[in-house]
Amino acid sequence: MRSAGRLLSTPISTRLERIATLARQLRDRPLTTLAHHIDLDWLREAHRRTRKDGATGVDGQTADEYAMHLEDNLRSLLERAKSGTYRAPPVRRAYIPKDSGEMRPLGIPTFEDKVLQRAVAMLLEAIYEQEFLDCSYGFRPGRSAQQALDVLHREASKMAGGWVIEIDIRKYFDSIDHERLRDVLRGRIRDGVVQRLIGKWLNAGVLEDGAVTRSEAGSPQGGVVSPILANIFLHEALDVWFHRDVRERLRGRAHLVRYADDAVMLFEYEEDARRVMAALPERFGRYGLTLHPDKTRLLGFKRPDRVGYRGDDEDGPDEPGTFDFLGFTIHWAKSPMTGKWVVKMRTAADRFRRALRNISQWCKSHRHDPLEVQQRALGLMLRGHYGYYGRKGNRSRLWRLRHWAKRAWWRWLHRRSQRGLSWDAMIRLLRRYPLPEPRLASSA
């Protein structure tokens, strides 16, 4: 299967590069003929790239069921997409819990819709990767949250902290105005077939409790094409504005780091940060977006040995702050090696609690499973956590999670029988079924 996938990917990769080259050559002009790239081979590749283990949409059709008549299904899909007779089905509403206790809505498309969305997303990606700026890292090929954190760490260290604006857009994915998004897309995409398909997805609506609701705003999280549409919108609303309009008017250095709708701005001088902070609500308002009044904030992040320095400000000293980004709390601490102040990152408190809660809930639900099964599953959970949070300076939080994971495991093993399990017995059990020790996954 893998060799067949490589054979299939080669010509599509070449065509994607041709589209990217054309987009670079015609950087300031809209592209009018794009749909001809989406043919049967293109849909086969889109199908290959589509996850097969996801939840089913409103039609209940699984990936395996769709694959039983794959060629016929793809031919029919291509014909309907090109002729304009394709009808985008509503997405099925599902919810996942947030750390705040609220529920995050997800939209689950049908499998066929996922394939077609993937086909269009491949096309958009080839074009807009030539437009996107270096400051954005979310949902882009070859880019990751760890890279965004690396850049934030480097820039904050170079500025000795400076001033920080944490940006939080209230319900971003639910707030993307459809007409404004179409306007942004028309600046680059003028192909009628592609525009029509995107319009159908935006208007497809959501099925919940047997009723379909439609809105003039929102791109449901969970849709295959939603991440790149959201990136395109914020590229125009924030990235381009900051790099082409804002930075050249500032007195000192400034840097933007964005991962999807999570963004942080760094400034050398307070006066620059305050000017941008004052301009942000109006800028986002032009695109129908609203900043969260409590979570969007300006704070001083100066190196502690420079706390008394405020540039031209005469209001006196200010305390260094901390802020959160992509699951980490960014803070100042003294290096144990050199004794100098350095920027460090530790697991944010809410993410630590969530990880421990997930482990405890799993132990509760699976306490009667064989011990080797429990050990293997807990090991996977901990290694996954280490893989993301294993950054230099965060070792103590990783060891703390491992400690509390052992305690949670013991607590639920203790309750699975009337005889219970003493802690001494648990220590002996851990020698036989050890949990993996933390490791650093990043040198940053």
Side-chain angles (χ1 to χ4, degrees), residues 200-254:
K200 288 182 177 184
W201 288 320
L202 293 176
N203 296 324
V206 174
L207 178 65
E208 186 173 15
D209 297 328
V212 176
T213 58
R214 292 178 172 84
S215 172
E216 293 299 316
S219 180
Q221 295 184 68
V224 175
V225 78
S226 291
I228 190 164
L229 293 180
N231 254 350
I232 291 169
F233 200 57
L234 268 187
H235 165 75
E236 186 69 24
L238 179 60
D239 303 354
V240 171
W241 173 71
F242 182 82
H243 282 271
R244 298 181 187 174
D245 297 334
V246 172
R247 286 208 305 184
E248 64 181 21
R249 294 180 171 88
L250 300 180
R251 175 188 168 201
R253 292 174 295 169

Side-chain angles (χ1 to χ4, degrees), residues 82-237:
K82 292 294 185 70
S83 66
T85 59
Y86 181 78
R87 298 184 63 182
V91 298
R92 181 171 66 83
R93 176 68 82 204
Y95 293 90
I96 59 173
K98 298 171 62 175
D99 292 327
S100 62
E102 300 176 352
M103 301 298 288
R104 183 190 303 276
L106 292 179
I108 303 174
T110 64
F111 182 78
E112 181 175 70
D113 207 41
K114 290 178 185 178
V115 173
L116 188 55
Q117 287 192 34
R118 176 62 64 194
V120 172
M122 288 162 53
L123 191 66
L124 294 177
E125 183 180 281
I127 296 167
Y128 278 95
E129 275 300 311
Q130 319 315 311
E131 306 286 327
F132 289 155
L133 303 178
D134 286 341
C135 63
S136 67
Y137 293 86
F139 306 114
R140 294 184 58 188
R143 291 183 163 238
S144 67
Q146 294 297 336
Q147 291 175 334
L149 291 164
D150 290 344
V151 170
L152 180 62
H153 181 276
R154 183 179 70 244
E155 294 300 323
S157 299
K158 284 166 58 177
M159 290 188 194
W163 295 82
V164 171
I165 295 178
E166 286 184 274
I167 296 177
D168 189 282
I169 306 171
R170 176 175 278 173
K171 297 183 177 180
Y172 173 62
F173 282 86
D174 296 333
S175 302
I176 299 175
D177 182 87
H178 293 173
E179 193 53 44
R180 288 183 173 94
L181 175 59
R182 290 189 185 96
D183 286 342
V184 170
L185 289 168
R186 277 193 287 267
R188 203 70 174 106
I189 308 295
R190 296 282 178 88
D191 182 279
V193 172
V194 176
Q195 285 185 337
R196 184 168 59 241
L197 285 173
I198 293 174
K200 288 182 177 184
W201 288 320
L202 293 176
N203 296 324
V206 174
L207 178 65
E208 186 173 15
D209 297 328
V212 176
T213 58
R214 292 178 172 84
S215 172
E216 293 299 316
S219 180
Q221 295 184 68
V224 175
V225 78
S226 291
I228 190 164
L229 293 180
N231 254 350
I232 291 169
F233 200 57
L234 268 187
H235 165 75
E236 186 69 24

